[in-house]
PDB file of all heavy atoms in Angstrom:
ATOM      1  N   ALA A 462     -20.449  -0.009   7.961  1.00 96.00           N
ATOM      2  CA  ALA A 462     -19.463  -0.073   9.057  1.00 96.00           C
ATOM      3  C   ALA A 462     -18.844  -1.479   9.138  1.00 96.00           C
ATOM      4  O   ALA A 462     -17.702  -1.627   9.544  1.00 96.00           O
ATOM      5  CB  ALA A 462     -20.074   0.246  10.408  1.00 96.00           C
ATOM      6  N   ASP A 463     -19.635  -2.503   8.768  1.00 94.00           N
ATOM      7  CA  ASP A 463     -19.136  -3.908   8.857  1.00 94.00           C
ATOM      8  C   ASP A 463     -18.406  -4.345   7.655  1.00 94.00           C
ATOM      9  O   ASP A 463     -18.863  -4.121   6.490  1.00 94.00           O
ATOM     10  CB  ASP A 463     -20.343  -4.816   9.111  1.00 94.00           C
ATOM     11  CG  ASP A 463     -20.859  -4.703  10.521  1.00 94.00           C
ATOM     12  OD1 ASP A 463     -20.349  -3.855  11.282  1.00 94.00           O
ATOM     13  OD2 ASP A 463     -21.832  -5.455  10.861  1.00 94.00           O
ATOM     14  N   GLU A 464     -17.263  -4.999   7.808  1.00 92.00           N
ATOM     15  CA  GLU A 464     -16.482  -5.442   6.707  1.00 92.00           C
ATOM     16  C   GLU A 464     -17.219  -6.479   5.882  1.00 92.00           C
ATOM     17  O   GLU A 464     -17.950  -7.344   6.445  1.00 92.00           O
ATOM     18  CB  GLU A 464     -15.178  -6.094   7.200  1.00 92.00           C
ATOM     19  CG  GLU A 464     -14.248  -6.621   6.116  1.00 92.00           C
ATOM     20  CD  GLU A 464     -12.968  -7.174   6.693  1.00 92.00           C
ATOM     21  OE1 GLU A 464     -12.798  -7.152   7.917  1.00 92.00           O
ATOM     22  OE2 GLU A 464     -12.161  -7.733   5.894  1.00 92.00           O
ATOM     23  N   SER A 465     -17.143  -6.412   4.542  1.00 94.00           N
ATOM     24  CA  SER A 465     -17.700  -7.379   3.624  1.00 94.00           C
ATOM     25  C   SER A 465     -19.248  -7.431   3.684  1.00 94.00           C
ATOM     26  O   SER A 465     -19.835  -8.380   3.184  1.00 94.00           O
ATOM     27  CB  SER A 465     -17.158  -8.780   3.876  1.00 94.00           C
ATOM     28  OG  SER A 465     -15.776  -8.764   3.762  1.00 94.00           O
ATOM     29  N   PHE A 466     -19.843  -6.408   4.216  1.00 96.00           N
ATOM     30  CA  PHE A 466     -21.371  -6.400   4.311  1.00 96.00           C
ATOM     31  C   PHE A 466     -21.915  -5.365   3.408  1.00 96.00           C
ATOM     32  O   PHE A 466     -21.440  -4.222   3.387  1.00 96.00           O
ATOM     33  CB  PHE A 466     -21.813  -6.195   5.721  1.00 96.00           C
ATOM     34  CG  PHE A 466     -23.299  -6.064   5.831  1.00 96.00           C
ATOM     35  CD1 PHE A 466     -24.084  -7.216   5.952  1.00 96.00           C
ATOM     36  CD2 PHE A 466     -23.916  -4.784   5.796  1.00 96.00           C
ATOM     37  CE1 PHE A 466     -25.471  -7.098   6.029  1.00 96.00           C
ATOM     38  CE2 PHE A 466     -25.317  -4.689   5.892  1.00 96.00           C
ATOM     39  CZ  PHE A 466     -26.102  -5.872   6.049  1.00 96.00           C
ATOM     40  N   HIS A 467     -22.968  -5.734   2.645  1.00 97.00           N
ATOM     41  CA  HIS A 467     -23.807  -4.744   2.000  1.00 97.00           C
ATOM     42  C   HIS A 467     -25.163  -5.384   1.784  1.00 97.00           C
ATOM     43  O   HIS A 467     -25.285  -6.590   1.651  1.00 97.00           O
ATOM     44  CB  HIS A 467     -23.186  -4.192   0.742  1.00 97.00           C
ATOM     45  CG  HIS A 467     -23.128  -5.176  -0.425  1.00 97.00           C
ATOM     46  ND1 HIS A 467     -22.121  -6.069  -0.566  1.00 97.00           N
ATOM     47  CD2 HIS A 467     -23.965  -5.329  -1.465  1.00 97.00           C
ATOM     48  CE1 HIS A 467     -22.331  -6.769  -1.669  1.00 97.00           C
ATOM     49  NE2 HIS A 467     -23.445  -6.366  -2.255  1.00 97.00           N
ATOM     50  N   LEU A 468     -26.194  -4.553   1.758  1.00 98.00           N
ATOM     51  CA  LEU A 468     -27.562  -5.060   1.649  1.00 98.00           C
ATOM     52  C   LEU A 468     -27.777  -5.651   0.248  1.00 98.00           C
ATOM     53  O   LEU A 468     -28.370  -6.706   0.083  1.00 98.00           O
ATOM     54  CB  LEU A 468     -28.559  -3.932   1.925  1.00 98.00           C
ATOM     55  CG  LEU A 468     -28.745  -3.552   3.416  1.00 98.00           C
ATOM     56  CD1 LEU A 468     -29.478  -2.233   3.549  1.00 98.00           C
ATOM     57  CD2 LEU A 468     -29.464  -4.637   4.149  1.00 98.00           C
ATOM     58  N   GLY A 469     -27.341  -4.925  -0.826  1.00 97.00           N
ATOM     59  CA  GLY A 469     -27.503  -5.419  -2.170  1.00 97.00           C
ATOM     60  C   GLY A 469     -28.801  -5.001  -2.772  1.00 97.00           C
ATOM     61  O   GLY A 469     -29.861  -5.048  -2.147  1.00 97.00           O
ATOM     62  N   GLY A 470     -28.731  -4.606  -4.042  1.00 96.00           N
ATOM     63  CA  GLY A 470     -29.943  -4.320  -4.836  1.00 96.00           C
ATOM     64  C   GLY A 470     -30.793  -3.195  -4.371  1.00 96.00           C
ATOM     65  O   GLY A 470     -32.009  -3.205  -4.548  1.00 96.00           O
ATOM     66  N   LEU A 471     -30.205  -2.182  -3.784  1.00 98.00           N
ATOM     67  CA  LEU A 471     -30.991  -1.023  -3.214  1.00 98.00           C
ATOM     68  C   LEU A 471     -31.723  -0.345  -4.329  1.00 98.00           C
ATOM     69  O   LEU A 471     -32.790   0.278  -4.131  1.00 98.00           O
ATOM     70  CB  LEU A 471     -30.123  -0.070  -2.464  1.00 98.00           C
ATOM     71  CG  LEU A 471     -29.536  -0.607  -1.145  1.00 98.00           C
ATOM     72  CD1 LEU A 471     -28.636   0.479  -0.529  1.00 98.00           C
ATOM     73  CD2 LEU A 471     -30.668  -0.924  -0.139  1.00 98.00           C
ATOM     74  N   ASP A 472     -31.197  -0.401  -5.585  1.00 97.00           N
ATOM     75  CA  ASP A 472     -31.841   0.267  -6.694  1.00 97.00           C
ATOM     76  C   ASP A 472     -33.220  -0.354  -6.952  1.00 97.00           C
ATOM     77  O   ASP A 472     -34.132   0.279  -7.462  1.00 97.00           O
ATOM     78  CB  ASP A 472     -30.980   0.266  -7.946  1.00 97.00           C
ATOM     79  CG  ASP A 472     -30.664  -1.149  -8.384  1.00 97.00           C
ATOM     80  OD1 ASP A 472     -30.346  -1.984  -7.512  1.00 97.00           O
ATOM     81  OD2 ASP A 472     -30.752  -1.428  -9.581  1.00 97.00           O
ATOM     82  N   GLN A 473     -33.304  -1.663  -6.693  1.00 97.00           N
ATOM     83  CA  GLN A 473     -34.590  -2.358  -6.917  1.00 97.00           C
ATOM     84  C   GLN A 473     -35.679  -1.917  -5.946  1.00 97.00           C
ATOM     85  O   GLN A 473     -36.866  -2.267  -6.134  1.00 97.00           O
ATOM     86  CB  GLN A 473     -34.391  -3.895  -6.831  1.00 97.00           C
ATOM     87  CG  GLN A 473     -33.350  -4.457  -7.766  1.00 97.00           C
ATOM     88  CD  GLN A 473     -33.670  -4.193  -9.218  1.00 97.00           C
ATOM     89  OE1 GLN A 473     -34.807  -4.457  -9.630  1.00 97.00           O
ATOM     90  NE2 GLN A 473     -32.700  -3.695  -9.985  1.00 97.00           N
ATOM     91  N   ASP A 474     -35.280  -1.179  -4.957  1.00 98.00           N
ATOM     92  CA  ASP A 474     -36.298  -0.700  -3.946  1.00 98.00           C
ATOM     93  C   ASP A 474     -36.879   0.616  -4.347  1.00 98.00           C
ATOM     94  O   ASP A 474     -37.733   1.141  -3.583  1.00 98.00           O
ATOM     95  CB  ASP A 474     -35.619  -0.639  -2.562  1.00 98.00           C
ATOM     96  CG  ASP A 474     -35.185  -1.982  -2.031  1.00 98.00           C
ATOM     97  OD1 ASP A 474     -35.983  -2.955  -2.199  1.00 98.00           O
ATOM     98  OD2 ASP A 474     -34.096  -2.121  -1.566  1.00 98.00           O
ATOM     99  N   LEU A 475     -36.419   1.244  -5.408  1.00 98.00           N
ATOM    100  CA  LEU A 475     -37.038   2.462  -5.924  1.00 98.00           C
ATOM    101  C   LEU A 475     -38.169   2.070  -6.839  1.00 98.00           C
ATOM    102  O   LEU A 475     -38.017   1.161  -7.651  1.00 98.00           O
ATOM    103  CB  LEU A 475     -36.017   3.314  -6.672  1.00 98.00           C
ATOM    104  CG  LEU A 475     -34.794   3.849  -5.963  1.00 98.00           C
ATOM    105  CD1 LEU A 475     -33.969   4.697  -6.928  1.00 98.00           C
ATOM    106  CD2 LEU A 475     -35.215   4.650  -4.731  1.00 98.00           C
ATOM    107  N   LYS A 476     -39.284   2.789  -6.766  1.00 97.00           N
ATOM    108  CA  LYS A 476     -40.342   2.588  -7.730  1.00 97.00           C
ATOM    109  C   LYS A 476     -41.140   3.914  -7.831  1.00 97.00           C
ATOM    110  O   LYS A 476     -41.090   4.754  -6.942  1.00 97.00           O
ATOM    111  CB  LYS A 476     -41.282   1.456  -7.344  1.00 97.00           C
ATOM    112  CG  LYS A 476     -41.975   1.611  -6.035  1.00 97.00           C
ATOM    113  CD  LYS A 476     -42.889   0.443  -5.783  1.00 97.00           C
ATOM    114  CE  LYS A 476     -43.706   0.699  -4.469  1.00 97.00           C
ATOM    115  NZ  LYS A 476     -44.623  -0.468  -4.188  1.00 97.00           N
TER     116      LYS A 476
END
Side-chain angles (χ1 to χ4, degrees):
D463 287 1
E464 182 181 357
S465 302
F466 175 84
H467 69 278
L468 285 166
L471 289 178
D472 60 317
Q473 302 299 313
D474 296 317
L475 297 182
K476 63 179 183 179

